[in-house]
Structure formats: C-alpha cells, structure tokens
Amino acid sequence: MASSASVDDNIESNPLLQDFDVPPFDVVEAKHVRPGIRALLKKLESDLDELEKTVEPSWPKLVEPLEKIVDRLTVVWGIVNHLKAVKDTAELRAAVEEVQPEKVKFQLRVGQSKPIYNAFKAIQESPDWKSLSEARKRIVETQIKEAVLNGVSLEDDKREQFNKIEQELERLSHKFSENVLDATKKFEKLITDKKEIEGLPATSLGLAAQTAVSKGHENATAENGPWMITLDAPCLFAVMQHARNRALREEVYRANITRASSGDLDNTPIINQILKLRMEKARLLNYNNYAEVSMATKMATVDKAEELLEKLRSASWNAAVQDIEDLKSYSKSQGALEADNLSHWDINFWSERLRESKYNINEEELRPYFSLSKVMDGLFKLAKTLFGVDIEPADGLAPVWNKDVRFYCVKDSSGSPIAYFYFDPYSRPSEKREGAWMDEVVSRSRVMSPNGTTPRLPIAHMVCNQTPPFGDKPSLMTFREVETVFHEFGHALQHMLTKQDEGLVAGIRGIEWDAVELPSQFMENWCYHRDTLMSIAKHYETGESLPEEVYLKLLAARTFRAGSLSLRQLRFASVDLELHTKYIPDGSESVFDVDQRVSRKTQVIPPLPEDRFLCGFNHIFAGGYAAGYYSYKWAEVLSADAFSAFEDVGLYNTKVWCLKGLFRIAFLLIYIYFLEELCISNIVKSFHTFQPTHPLLFCVNLTRIYVCAKSWRAIAYCKRFNTLFITLQRHKSLNAYPQLLC
C-alpha cells in the first residue's frame, strides 16, 4: 500500500489539479482521473459549503463564487470527457465510469441547492432587478429555471428518486456511446481480390490498405492490397457510393444499420431504459412527457416543432418520390438488373452515378482541389473578411493529444489575441468516436480572469473525422468534408467571438439548443460562395484553381436529391419526437416499431425490418439532442434567412458588407456577439408573430429581429450604423411594425 505522503505527492503533481492557462492534454492519463476528480470534488464540496453558509442575493456573494465552482468542474471534467472521445482506452473508460457517479452527485447538489436557488429568486424579486444588465437577468432566469428542472422543488423522497434517475441516465448514455464505438470497430472485412472492390477510387483504396497495415498486414498497398473495409465514415461512404460489387454494398449496409444491436454490445435494452427513465423524470417534474422537459429550455414548443416537421415532410415528399423514379430510370438505362427493385444499398451508388452523369462532376476527381491546408487558408480568409479577425497557427503554444492536432490563435484587427482553438481533423477509428463536433475548452469570463483585469479568453476545439493523408499525399477532402469543416467552424466562431464577459452566458453557454445549429449551418452556405470556394479550391500539386465550369456544376448540383436528403433528416427528427412524446415504454410497440411507423411517412423506400439504426443514434441517446433533433431543421430556417440578407445586397459586394456592417447585423446580432445580453428566445418573442413553421418561409428578416430588440444598447448600435439602417428600410417588416422604431 502506498504511503499517505506518496499519495499526497501524486495529488500535488496530478495534471488535472494544476493551475493552467491551457489544459495539459499531453500528460493526462487514465491513472490521473480517479485521484484527480475526487480531490477536485472534495475541494469544490468545501467551496459549496462555504457559499451556502455565506450566500447573499448579490453578484459578489452569489454568482461569482458559484461561477468559480461550476467553471472549475466544467473545465477539468471537460478534459477527461474530451480525451475519452478522441483517445479512448479501456483504462480511461474504467476510471471515468468509477468517478462519474460522484461527479453527477455533486452537480445535483449544486443544482438542487435551496440557499442558492432562494438567493437567485431574491435577486429576481428585488427592486434592483430592472437595473440589471440583460446578461445578468439572463443568468438569474436561467439558474432559476435549471434549478427547477434539476429537482430543487421536489420533496425529499421524490428528489431522491430523481437523483437516482439522473445517475442512471448518465451511466446509460456513456455505455450507449461506448457500445457504438466498439461495434463500429468490430466490423472488419479483409479483401484480397481487387475485383471485389472495383469502383473504389484510389483515395479509398489507399485508406483501406493503410487500415490493413495497421491491422498487421504490413505489405498492404493501394494497388495490390489487401484492403480492410470498416464502418469508419470515410470507408463506409466510399463503399456505398462507389463499390460496383452489390453484394459488398449490401453487407456493409446491413452491418451499419445493425451496429450495437446484438450480443454484449446490444443497445436495445439501454434505449428502453433511457426512455423509461426520461418519462419518469418528466412526471416527477410535473410534465406530460420528456419532450416538454426538453422544450422548457428551447425556443420551440412540441406543437410548433411537430408542425414544422410535417410541413417540411409534405413539401419534400413528391420531390423524394421523383428522386427514386429518376434513379430507377437511370439505372435501367445503364443495364442494372436491380433497376426495378432498388434496395437501400443501391441508392447512394446510383445517386452518385446519376450525379456524375447529370452534372459531369466526379467527387473523387474534385479531391485534389480540396487539400486540408488550402481549405483552412480559405476559411481563415473568409473569417477575416466577415469578422476582421486574423487566425494564425500557434502550434507549440499548447499541449495536444495527438500529433495531427493543430492549435490556432484568433486575433482582432489590432493584433491582440481574442481566442484560441484546437483542430483535430482526421479519422482514428481505433480510439476516436465517429462524427464531427465542437465544444468549449474554456469560456470567456471576467470572474475567471488570470490577472484580475482582462477577461479570460475563450478556447474551443473542433473535431472531425475526415480522410487522413496517405503516402506522400496530403489530406484530400470530399466536398462534404469541406462543408463539415465550415459547419464546425461556425460553432467555434459563436464561442470565440463573443464579447460577453459574464462567463455563465458567454459563447455557447446559455444558447437555446434549437438555435445552436444556426451559426454552423450559416457558415456552410459560404462553401457555395464563388470567391470563397475559389480561394480554397486549389490543386494541391499545380496550384491551379477549380475551373469555372466545375464551380457552376457544383452550384447546379447543390439541390440534387434535396427532397430525399430532407426526408432523411425528418425521419430522425420525427422518430426522436415520437419516442419522447407518445411512446409508452414496455407498451405494445417497440422502439423499432415506432421507427418503422414514422419511416412509412418519411421514407419513400421503407427501412428493412431488421433496421436497428436507433441502436447507433448517439445524438439522442448519448448526446444533447434528445427531443431536440428537430433543431437542425429549425435552425436551418433561421440560417437560410440570415444568408438571404447577403443575397439581397449581393454576395460579391464586399464594400457593402464593410461599409454598412451587414454581417454585424445578420450574424453577430443573432449570435449575440455584440448584443450579448439579448437571448435569442427573447428577441424572437419580441417579434410575436415569428414562428418558423413554413418550409418556404425563411422567416424573420434579420431587420425585424434587430428593430425588435428592446434594449437601448441595441438602439445605440442601430444608430451607429446609419447607412445600414437606411438600407434596411426597404424591407416591409419595418413598415409593418413602426411602433417598434421608438
């Protein structure tokens, strides 16, 4: 047994417990998690005891000490959770699983603290309430609402039941995600006959050979194999789009839709238990279902979300039916035996062939124009144009968790740093979970200032799973991978460009979940902006720009199969809402019956009877999208309207952007970069007729939101942009609501 002195020494040297400006990602190991988290929780428990004894309804005596407690746990647990997502090991899983209940217990104690809750209520009811900034009002209102949703008002026995539910939900969600990762890794198919993978492009063959090498086939090459086929996204998409071997496509498709649905990795009982516990939680909180709990912190209501999805479904259906008819006709013209009876594993293959034929675009032939370095250079130039910020490499300034991770500094026009971010671009299926995401490392905060004078600067991380470099070639991206990078960068911008110094509502903190996807989807639009695309589309060997005719073809192909792609998202969103509103756990229908029923209305070709995609649906069972997947469509409405503001004045008229500050109003206002004290839901409520429920109504001109902002600070910014205000007067919304122009 180790001596107490050696344990203390280990605690003192534990990287999770050190004071740091940037996290020590390079030295944190599984062995640090148990002692580090426990020591941290012990310290925070003591801090919380002191806060509850001395709390007063004032900022220095309530909010500032609370922020220090919440922030420290958020940052340190964030390090551990992030490493689990990008550098997963059995040892790290075991450590997290052991201390996670202790972490959840502490979070529940904070959330259910009656002294803290009563102090926030006292602030809200005090005569000084009206004099608080909008940001501070937002904090108070949010803390009160979250306390109620955390069970602060429950009686002792019900609160104990509630806490057990929360503990179990946290455990189940982690297990769900782990099962998906393990099931994805489990599928491997070694191919030695090149005829079996005929049609796969050179990039994909190289990746499959590289994977084979990593699995012990040292002599594998792109030309001669062997090749390892996996369910990792770059490989999966390549097979489904390009493999002429229909049997291979079917095998890979079936493996993908049945991930984590059998054996030790079966997520079916986990799904059932999660839904049952969410229903119990909702009833304890006096809600009818879990969707109502979810909507309590969102812009939408259940009815409005369902209304939006149905209108979009109705608008998309005929187009999707025509998409399938087009595929049948084209595949028949190419002599395909399956033309009259296309199956799921045929759709992507023949869609890609039809797209190539119709627009003369070959996605693989575009890859050489989208090397990662060129894409990032162009993205940073766009950020400079839109925001006046410079983004510079800062590698070496911060420790990283993998040699491929880059670190960047964001500087304002004076050259002063305003934020930093990590970028982890490549797929690593053996240790990194699927998908792409952005999250905070630390947020901007006055309270957490390192020197007591200037606020702490925000740090974000962006994570993707795109095609890695192969041989002497850099990472050559598909156009969809380019869109994904722009998408995640939009999230990162929202976090990094905030000027809000109140840490509890700065950056991505406190944003309504159905507005979270607005900045990300907005940024995707710029992939089709000619000047932006031409700045990133440079051949990695010759430096030649993407030919103009190819750009025009890309633009024309943008809406290819739009109906089908829309229905795919609507299926996910609709089954999510159905499971969290009407589904009865342990009732006559299984979750898969619900999916089949929803899919009959949202899929032209119904899913296979054995389809178990729900067992891999991380978004709603292991992410933050439970009863919230509709947010993608809700935010798409808002982002389309934001981008239309540019189209109104001309996407190429950069002088208009600069002189009239159009982007400040369309982008920064919505994201609360400059008018940070305004929350999106309050802005929308001010314009009481706004509800984004019509598929063609790309609602609320940004002008409306701007003039509806009931804040003198908003009016001051409005007056600062006199020329901009003149431009906006041509919109009908100003004439319709003259009373708002006080």
Side-chain angles (χ1 to χ4, degrees), residues 478-550:
T478 65
F479 189 68
R480 181 58 196 143
E481 288 174 339
V482 173
E483 289 180 301
T484 298
V485 170
F486 272 64
H487 179 103
E488 299 306 330
F489 191 62
H491 284 308
L493 286 174
Q494 184 176 38
H495 184 63
M496 296 188 296
L497 296 189
T498 182
K499 292 182 177 293
Q500 179 56 256
D501 292 340
E502 295 288 351
L504 293 177
V505 290
I508 61 172
R509 293 185 177 183
I511 299 293
E512 290 91 338
W513 198 260
D514 39 10
V516 162
E517 294 298 332
L518 168 56
S520 54
Q521 295 193 39
F522 183 97
M523 286 302 292
E524 284 188 46
N525 286 290
W526 293 98
C527 293
Y528 293 91
H529 174 224
R530 183 188 178 282
D531 290 353
T532 301
L533 186 64
M534 290 305 184
S535 72
I536 66 176
K538 307 285 185 182
H539 197 284
Y540 80 100
E541 291 178 315
T542 67
E544 173 191 4
S545 295
L546 187 74
E548 179 71 19
E549 62 269 21
V550 176

Side-chain angles (χ1 to χ4, degrees), residues 78 172 177 433 626 634:
L172 290 170
S177 179
R433 71 174 171 88
W634 187 274

